[in-house]
Amino acid sequence: MASSAPAAGTPEAGTPGSMGDVRRGNLALVLGRIALSGAGTHLTRAQIAAATGLTKASVSSLVLDLLDVGIVREIGLNPQGERGRPGVGLELNPARGVMGMEINVDYISAGVTDLAGNLLLQETREQDNRRVTPDSVSAALADLAAGLRDTAEAQGVRVLGGGLAVPGLVDAKTGTVITAPNLGWNSATLDLAVVLPDVPLGTTLFNEANAAALAELRYRPAGDADFLFVSGEVGVGGGLVIGSELFTGPHGHAGELGHVVVQPEGTLCSCGGTGCLETVAGQDAIFVAAGIPTQTAPGPAASGPAAGPAGYGPARSESLAQLLTALAARDVDALAAVSRAGHYLGVAVASTVRLLDIPSVVLGGHFAILGEWIRPALAESLARYAPGKVPAGNISLSAVGQAGALLGAAGSVVRSLVEAPHRLQDQAP
């Protein structure tokens, strides 16, 4: 989403802004230049001064602040041209990281990334979270996160903060899950300080599909500026990226693709509506239509590390493996179930792309795993209901796989730090 700020010189801009505010803005400007310099590029203080228009003395002072809080580090010598002497290069400190976490219907997951977005550690535990209290699930996630944090710290990486993605509508300001139908949660305020305690940046709550869409924006090699990300789990979620920005609507709840009605006379959905997309294209709906038993994961108390492929735990992997085997064998029921899901997915996507003028679709979760079989049905449906809006070549599979939500949540925490690095200074003892 785009944001606006009052122009300098207007009453709303401040009269006149404090020197502290100016320094905070310049601190973010300098850190932003370092963060955007890319892997293997180590800008010097002089190069940052030239790029930002700040004086060399100001940049040196600001860099000292960033070094003091440990966000950046000095590395090597960077040649500055024939006339200048080599300067000391700067980069984001690889000894600082953030924790990305995810609660979904039948698993919890966590991972540690460095400030450059590299995934250092990850673990997924399969457990059935349906109708389990938020406190119980949070406690299980806290245990998982604590183990990863200990491992990260043993490797010399200090975790500064966290992002938690859940499959539902959220209020990030209060840490409240407004509604997560497939979990059975309504107005559930999570104690985020328990999930990841004693971190200077705290923990921020995100919608799972939105977080995954942000990860796609960050990691996709094509660098598409406008796309609809479709998250396929037990439920179906959507994330809208427009102009390289996540669009969430005025209340932060845009993109609820799974609850677009595709069968007005269809079956009851977990949200209380009828005929929603996820009733025909959700993971369990596909398994049932294909005649494949839906495995149930253990509860939080019995959870353990997941052993399945692509981030899926043993129970989900067993059902998914059976479906993939049936599809490869050209089983009629399996092919029909996936084709039906693709058709109705196309119905929902067609309405979305017509309304918002989105040219590309990215499939995540089980949609990506089933891409070989579901993409043709989706393309055919789109060609029928929204001809010319999304060419078949613009339907792609996720670049980040099952880790998308936690990577996106972690990346958002890093972005907020780059935009306001003074937050670490404010937390200093």
Side-chain angles (χ1 to χ4, degrees):
M1 293 182 295
S3 61
S4 60
T10 65
E12 292 83 0
T15 51
S18 71
M19 290 300 294
D21 290 339
V22 173
R23 186 171 181 83
R24 287 178 173 183
N26 288 339
L27 197 67
L29 182 61
V30 170
L31 181 59
R33 284 289 174 177
I34 296 171
L36 291 173
S37 60
T41 301
H42 305 123
L43 298 179
T44 66
R45 290 165 174 80
Q47 289 171 329
I48 294 171
T52 60
L54 299 174
T55 66
K56 293 181 181 178
S58 293
V59 170
S60 293
S61 175
L62 294 164
V63 167
L64 282 177
D65 286 350
L66 296 173
L67 290 169
D68 284 345
V69 295
I71 309 176
V72 301
R73 72 170 183 177
E74 296 177 323
I75 180 168
L77 294 176
N78 190 7
Q80 298 183 42
E82 296 180 1
R83 297 183 180 180
R85 291 183 299 177
V88 177
L90 298 162
E91 70 173 2
L92 294 174
N93 190 352
R96 298 293 183 269
V98 296
M99 180 85 71
M101 299 167 284
E102 180 184 5
I103 293 172
N104 218 301
V105 176
D106 48 6
Y107 68 91
I108 57 175
S109 186
V112 177
T113 76
D114 62 21
L115 299 182
N118 300 305
L119 184 60
L120 308 177
L121 301 165
Q122 182 190 3
E123 184 176 342
T124 299
R125 291 182 184 176
E126 176 156 313
Q127 58 183 50
D128 191 349
N129 296 319
R130 291 173 246 218
R131 292 170 294 281
V132 177
T133 66
D135 286 347
S136 295
V137 179
S138 295
L141 181 60
D143 178 69
L144 175 60
L148 283 178
R149 187 176 180 181
D150 288 344
T151 302
E153 290 180 352
Q155 297 177 3
V157 178
R158 179 189 172 201
V159 174
L160 300 177
L164 170 58
V166 299
L169 303 182
V170 304
D171 182 343
K173 292 182 179 179
T174 62
T176 299
V177 180
I178 299 170
T179 179
N182 289 309
L183 289 172
W185 295 358
N186 291 288
S187 300
T189 299
L190 304 182
D191 191 343
L192 300 176
V194 169
V195 174
L196 190 65
D198 303 321
V199 287
L201 299 180
T203 298
T204 305
L205 194 62
F206 297 92
N207 168 267
E208 170 264 331
N210 285 341
L214 286 173
E216 292 297 327
L217 180 64
R218 164 68 174 81
Y219 294 95
R220 286 185 67 75
D224 294 334
D226 308 284
F227 62 87
L228 168 65
F229 175 78
V230 184
S231 170
E233 299 287 345
V234 171
V236 176
L240 295 163
V241 173
I242 302 174
S244 296
E245 296 283 344
L246 181 68
F247 177 78
T248 58
H251 303 294
H253 303 154
E256 285 291 284
L257 189 72
H259 300 291
V260 171
V261 177
V262 295
Q263 286 186 320
E265 305 303 324
T267 58
L268 185 66
C269 179
S270 62
C271 73
T274 300
C276 296
L277 174 62
E278 71 175 42
T279 65
V280 288
Q283 181 187 112
D284 289 351
I286 294 175
F287 291 155
V288 169
I292 293 173
T294 302
Q295 304 296 325
T296 301
S303 63
Y312 282 73
R316 292 206 303 157
S317 289
E318 184 176 340
S319 295
L320 186 60
Q322 289 183 44
L323 177 61
L324 292 171
T325 298
L327 290 168
R330 311 299 297 173
D331 178 82
V332 173
D333 290 339
L335 290 170
V338 173
S339 179
R340 178 171 177 261
H343 169 79
Y344 284 110
L345 177 58
V347 173
V349 170
S351 298
T352 304
V353 299
R354 280 190 179 278
L355 185 65
L356 297 173
D357 193 25
I358 301 291
S360 299
V361 177
V362 180
L363 303 179
H366 66 259
F367 294 133
I369 296 173
L370 299 173
E372 178 183 346
W373 294 275
I374 204 168
R375 189 156 49 177
L378 170 59
E380 181 180 349
S381 185
L382 279 172
R384 178 178 181 182
Y385 298 112
K389 298 298 292 184
V390 181
N394 285 13
I395 302 172
S396 58
L397 307 183
S398 171
V400 292
Q402 198 67 14
L406 67 86
L407 283 173
S412 292
V413 174
V414 173
R415 278 191 297 275
S416 69
L417 173 60
V418 171
E419 292 170 358
H422 67 270
R423 294 166 62 200
L424 281 184
Q425 290 180 309
D426 295 343
Q427 293 293 326

